[in-house]
């Protein structure tokens, strides 16, 4: 489904919802999502087939409550909540329940943290912007300062462990010695921590934060109490009684040490620790001036602390953490190694989530608690991959690397293939772009002048890596921070891309079943709880030492199964049956439009064929023409093409196409359709000329379809079955691109008509090394909008099978996702001018917006959409009531997952979950598909805006119905069809040199050219 749309694979795999199916490679194993690379950043990045992503994780252990404890083993403070414990017997293990991968977390009674602002200047008084230099100054300054304060080396290490440097500020779990309150910092000058040859580091301000307002209060607990009058603070007098205030229990101390990063789960344990060390617990009366942080500051602190906890035992790789010693080497079906190492990567993140109470949970409903959130930890399991073959082995083959001599042709070949390509280090998993390949240097011959040693000696002494081939050439030159050259031995790096054979196996070898993810969550939960890190002392548990306590249970939710919407196929007297709800391809064999030949439109087909296909390309064209014409549709292929164009490879390919259309520009008839038979050199799955030719044809408004003969040889009878499947998909897609739907869904009759449906998305290209600027850079992003007019929800076959659609794109600053208001306003205005209609309602489906950007969406995008309709009404001179608008955000790349209570299965397609909210907006989750080899991931829908006139519409049912309306996949997809269309259009245009600015939107109106 994420494969290329040069349509040459099994037809069931050619129309994936996330596919770049302009080059449609039908083999299901070739569809790896737009990020199907060797690092395989699962959650969002690895969508294998319509059944979505290969990463989702939840827990099947019934650890719903704390184990029985004695009086001295009190459980940590717990907040009022509406969540259901996993071991509650009222929740039976049936499919009306689901368990998430969210672990509920509590804050201790006196949870607090510190935030210190910093300024850094060089000796000329200029601000130091480099985070690396700032961090070096911070570490040097704190080390010297702590020593000056009389802290031992052990105490310094422990204090550094609780400080989190973030560039313009740093967090602290404990007060910075000597700066316990803001009064000790000079308001004008700040506090100079260090001044040396590098620069000066100032601490400018400090704040003490407690729990955020969105988190609920705590329940009554037995806690430590200190009687200052009796023992003058002697912690040996610890009592169980608690202090009451306003009918609530006030905790007077935490089971945490205020002098070191240690937490305990019993009174006796902390008492012994304090008696042995002279430390003391964290007391209520030790804190003053605490402010309430906003959610962003609070979560930033929690997540940097989480990263510190994970990094103490694991290695960071991107945004995930792995155990470098634990990996597998997957094999193909014949048992042959794929040349990859597969690591389990943990992705963990804290968030605040609001769970609505349910009467079925048998808990006391508390109106105030319903409005409050809970701190939850999401734990996901992903896959990271790296090649087992490093570049030295790849380039030397069977030759001895130490004596290998590279000839000029070999050097040109290696340079041509690898310069500016991404590589990854095998020892720290960092990636770089190759700037230069030094064929005449080896690790032992290339010196490091500043250290007076060779690179071979450097890696052995500084990195602890003894090179196997210290005399082997070449060395790889890359650029680090500030464009500082870095030289790497070829035996320590490998290519970032994996080969095609391994890619075909990714859905099977790099997916994790629900049960595997359950085990991973349990493993991570044990790691982050007290006592797990034995090497850190008897207390253990870094997060509990900071006041963050993980509960045993995970969030449990109620679910409802949405029924199959009514799906109608052209010419069929019945709707798609329930038995075919996951794939109705077989039902389309009898689809028939029954348009009379004299009423049809004959397309003028221009066939572009690779010179290696000159003998048999007409045979393949005849097959496609027959399959297209068998539908009896409005658009048909002639027996022979209007013109045939022979083309070469890559540049010769697009030059041949350009030359033909330039010479025939004035003689071309209407209704031109380009059919491009491509056969890329070296059996490549992607034709490098594809995007150039598509851009060229898009500028002129010509519909086109690519067929890749490397996926299947359509002239070989031995591949007839595969070829027929692919070409059947080609025929369907030809009709789709012409604006016909072979099937459609029945929409709710409560929608005010005529209605406008809008799908909006922003495509972001992958970052690549740019040799001009000497660093990684991304191309411009591309915003895309697909606007569909719904005039009626029922009608004749001819009326329902024809789409009225308009599409538009716009170049964006790289990485910019929000503020699409003006673009959407322009696109909707253009569409309304084309449709010549005054709609009654509009439903916008917006992809890619985070919760933190909702205000921008409401203030910018929603208002611009409203203005577009109001301005059109004024321009037309027709008075009408304001249009009814619904604005729904679809979030695909989320970490929240759901599985069955027993932890062994994923949710079935159509499972809908309500009750978990990140904001005050109506929120629900829909599981669009359920792969057999992996764990499904639901999509989060957030209703940002919904007017009174649309209250009768059930948004979850409408969203689920539209998930069945994507014409490029004969099954449900993860998101509504308009969203997926916008994604396809953005991906297509975003890969053009001009980011889609040359696409002829007017000529492509009422067509789905982007499929």
């Amino acid at each position: 489904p994420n494969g290329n749309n040069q349509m040459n694979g099994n037809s069931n795999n050619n129309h994936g919802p996330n596919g770049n199916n302009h080059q449609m490679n039908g083999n299901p194993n070739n569809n790896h999502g737009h990020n199907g690379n060797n690092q395989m950043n699962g959650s969002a990045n690895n969508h294998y087939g319509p059944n979505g992503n290969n990463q989702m994780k939840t827990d099947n252990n019934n650890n719903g409550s704390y184990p029985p404890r004695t009086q001295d083993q009190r459980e940590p403070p717990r907040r009022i909540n509406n969540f259901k414990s996993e071991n509650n017997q009222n929740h039976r293990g049936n499919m009306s329940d689901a368990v998430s991968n969210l672990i509920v977390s509590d804050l201790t009674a006196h949870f607090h943290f510190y935030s210190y602002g910093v300024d850094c200047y060089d000796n000329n008084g200029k601000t130091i912007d480099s985070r690396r230099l700032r961090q070096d100054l911070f570490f040097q300054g704190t080390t010297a300062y702590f020593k000056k304060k009389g802290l031992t080396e052990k105490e310094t290490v422990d204090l550094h462990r609780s400080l989190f440097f973030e560039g313009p500020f740093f967090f602290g779990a404990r007060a910075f010695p000597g700066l316990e309150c803001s009064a000790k910092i000079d308001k004008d000058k700040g506090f100079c921590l260090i001044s040396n040859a590098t620069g000066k580091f100032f601490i400018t301000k400090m704040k003490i934060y407690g729990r955020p307002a969105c988190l609920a209060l705590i329940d009554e607990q037995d806690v430590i109490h200190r009687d200052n009058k009796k023992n003058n603070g002697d912690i040996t007098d610890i009592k169980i009684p608690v202090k009451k205030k306003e009918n609530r229990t006030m905790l007077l101390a935490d089971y945490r040490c205020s002098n070191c990063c240690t937490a305990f789960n019993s009174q006796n344990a902390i008492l012994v620790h304090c008696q042995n060390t002279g430390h003391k617990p964290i007391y209520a009366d030790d804190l003053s001036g605490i402010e309430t942080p906003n959610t962003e500051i609070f979560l930033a602190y929690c997540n940097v602390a989480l990263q510190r906890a994970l990094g103490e035992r694991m290695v960071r790789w991107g945004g995930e953490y792995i155990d470098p010693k634990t990996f597998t080497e997957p094999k193909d079906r014949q048992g042959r190694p794929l040349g990859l190492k597969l690591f389990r990567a943990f992705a963990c993140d804290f968030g605040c989530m609001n769970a609505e109470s349910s009467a079925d949970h048998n808990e006391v409903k508390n109106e105030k608690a319903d409005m409050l959130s809970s701190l939850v930890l999401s734990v996901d399991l992903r896959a990271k991959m790296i090649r087992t073959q490093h570049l030295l082995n790849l380039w030397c083959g069977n030759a001895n690397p130490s004596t290998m001599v590279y000839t000029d042709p070999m050097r040109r070949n290696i340079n041509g293939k690898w310069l500016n390509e991404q590589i990854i280090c095998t020892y720290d998993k960092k990636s770089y772009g190759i700037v230069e390949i030094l064929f005449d240097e080896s690790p032992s011959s290339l010196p490091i002048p500043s250290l007076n040693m060779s690179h071979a000696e450097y890696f052995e002494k500084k990195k602890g890596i003894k090179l196997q081939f210290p005399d082997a050439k070449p060395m790889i030159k890359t650029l680090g921070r500030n464009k500082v050259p870095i030289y790497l031995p070829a035996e320590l790096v490998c290519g970032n891309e994996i080969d095609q054979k391994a890619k075909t196996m990714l859905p099977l070898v790099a997916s994790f079943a629900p049960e595997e993810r359950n085990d991973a969550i349990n493993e991570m939960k044990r790691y982050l709880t007290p006592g797990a890190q034995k090497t850190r002392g008897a207390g253990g548990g870094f997060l509990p030492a900071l006041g963050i306590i993980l509960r045993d249970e995970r969030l449990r939710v109620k679910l409802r199964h949405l029924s199959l919407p009514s799906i109608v196929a052209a010419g069929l007297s019945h709707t798609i049956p329930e038995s075919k709800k996951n794939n109705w391809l077989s039902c389309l064999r009898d689809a028939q439009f029954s348009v009379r030949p004299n009423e049809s439109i004959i397309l003028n087909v221009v066939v572009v064929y690779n010179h290696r296909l000159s003998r048999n390309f007409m045979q393949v064209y005849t097959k496609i023409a027959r399959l297209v014409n068998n539908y009896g549709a409005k658009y048909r292929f002639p027996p022979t093409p209007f013109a045939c164009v022979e083309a070469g490879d890559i540049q010769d390919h697009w030059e041949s196409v350009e030359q033909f259309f330039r010479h025939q520009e004035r003689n071309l008839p209407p209704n031109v359709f380009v059919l491009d038979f491509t056969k890329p050199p070296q059996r490549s799955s992607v034709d490098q000329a594809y995007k150039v030719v598509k851009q060229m044809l898009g500028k002129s408004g010509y519909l086109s379809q690519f067929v890749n003969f490397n996926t299947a040889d359509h002239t070989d009878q031995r591949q007839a079955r595969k070829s027929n499947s692919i070409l059947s998909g080609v025929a369907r897609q030809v009709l789709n691109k012409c604006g016909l739907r072979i099937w459609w869904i029945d929409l709710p009759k409560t929608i005010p008509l005529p209605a406008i449906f809008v799908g909006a998305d922003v495509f972001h290209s992958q970052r690549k090394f740019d040799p001009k600027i000497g660093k990684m850079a991304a191309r411009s992003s591309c915003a895309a909008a697909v606007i569909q007019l719904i005039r009626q929800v029922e009608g004749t076959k001819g009326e329902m099978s024809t789409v009225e659609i308009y599409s538009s794109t716009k170049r964006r600053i790289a990485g910019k996702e929000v503020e699409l208001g003006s673009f959407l306003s322009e696109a909707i205005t253009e569409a309304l001018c084309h449709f010549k209609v005054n709609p009654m309602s509009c439903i916008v489906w917006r992809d890619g917006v985070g919760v933190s950007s909702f205000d921008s969406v409401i203030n910018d995008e929603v208002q611009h959409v409203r203005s577009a309709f109001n301005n059109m009404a004024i321009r037309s001179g027709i008075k009408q009531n304001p249009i009814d608008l619904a604005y729904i955000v679809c979030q695909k790349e989320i970490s929240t997952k759901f599985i069955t209570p027993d932890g062994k299965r994923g949710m079935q397609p159509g499972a809908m979950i309500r009750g978990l909210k990140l904001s005050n907006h109506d929120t629900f989750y829909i599981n669009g598909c359920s792969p057999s080899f992996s764990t499904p991931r639901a999509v989060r829908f957030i209703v940002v805006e919904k007017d009174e006139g649309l209250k009768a519409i059930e948004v979850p049912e409408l969203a689920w119905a539209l998930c069945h309306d994507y014409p490029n996949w004969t099954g449900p997809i993860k998101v509504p069809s308009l969203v997926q269309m916008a994604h396809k259009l953005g991906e297509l245009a975003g890969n053009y040199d001009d980011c889609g600015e040359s696409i002829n939107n007017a000529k492509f109106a009422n067509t789905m050219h982007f499929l």
Side-chain angles (χ1 to χ4, degrees), residues 129-143:
D129 296 323
S130 169
R131 174 169 175 150
R132 180 70 175 271
L133 292 179
R134 282 174 167 250
Q135 192 164 13
D136 289 343
L137 282 172
F138 175 73
F139 183 78
Q140 295 170 17
T142 51
T143 302

Side-chain angles (χ1 to χ4, degrees), residues 602-632:
I602 305 300
L603 299 173
N604 292 293
V605 181
V606 176
V607 176
V608 179
Y609 62 92
N610 186 274
H611 63 91
R612 288 185 289 274
L613 304 173
S614 57
R615 293 184 179 181
N616 301 314
F617 77 92
M618 276 301 300
Q619 173 186 340
V620 180
Y621 170 79
T622 303
K623 289 182 183 179
I624 295 175
R626 185 183 72 251
L627 291 169
V628 170
N629 297 339
N630 282 346
Y631 283 104

Side-chain angles (χ1 to χ4, degrees), residues 580-698:
K580 301 293 184 181
K581 63 181 181 181
N582 292 330
N583 193 329
W584 50 84
L585 176 63
S586 59
C587 301
L588 302 181
R589 294 170 183 166
D590 299 325
Q592 181 62 233
F593 290 90
S594 303
V595 175
R596 296 176 182 176
N598 60 344
E599 297 175 352
S600 64
I601 296 175
I602 305 300
L603 299 173
N604 292 293
V605 181
V606 176
V607 176
V608 179
Y609 62 92
N610 186 274
H611 63 91
R612 288 185 289 274
L613 304 173
S614 57
R615 293 184 179 181
N616 301 314
F617 77 92
M618 276 301 300
Q619 173 186 340
V620 180
Y621 170 79
T622 303
K623 289 182 183 179
I624 295 175
R626 185 183 72 251
L627 291 169
V628 170
N629 297 339
N630 282 346
Y631 283 104
K634 178 181 178 180
Y635 299 96
R636 305 191 183 186
F637 273 13
T640 57
F642 169 77
C644 299
V645 180
E646 183 175 292
D649 297 326
I650 311 178
Q651 185 174 349
D652 290 339
H653 185 167
W654 68 67
E655 286 181 350
S656 298
V657 176
E658 182 182 24
Q659 183 178 7
F660 170 80
F661 282 99
R662 185 173 62 249
H663 291 167
Q664 298 291 331
E665 183 176 3
R666 297 182 180 180
N667 301 324
L668 284 175
N671 303 316
V672 170
F673 192 103
V674 178
L675 197 59
D676 197 315
F677 295 159
T678 181
K679 191 176 178 65
Q682 300 179 354
R683 300 195 60 81
S684 173
S685 61
V686 179
D687 191 342
Q688 297 182 36
Y690 168 74
K691 62 181 181 181
V692 180
V693 175
K694 290 291 287 189
Q695 179 178 344
M696 191 186 309
L697 299 175

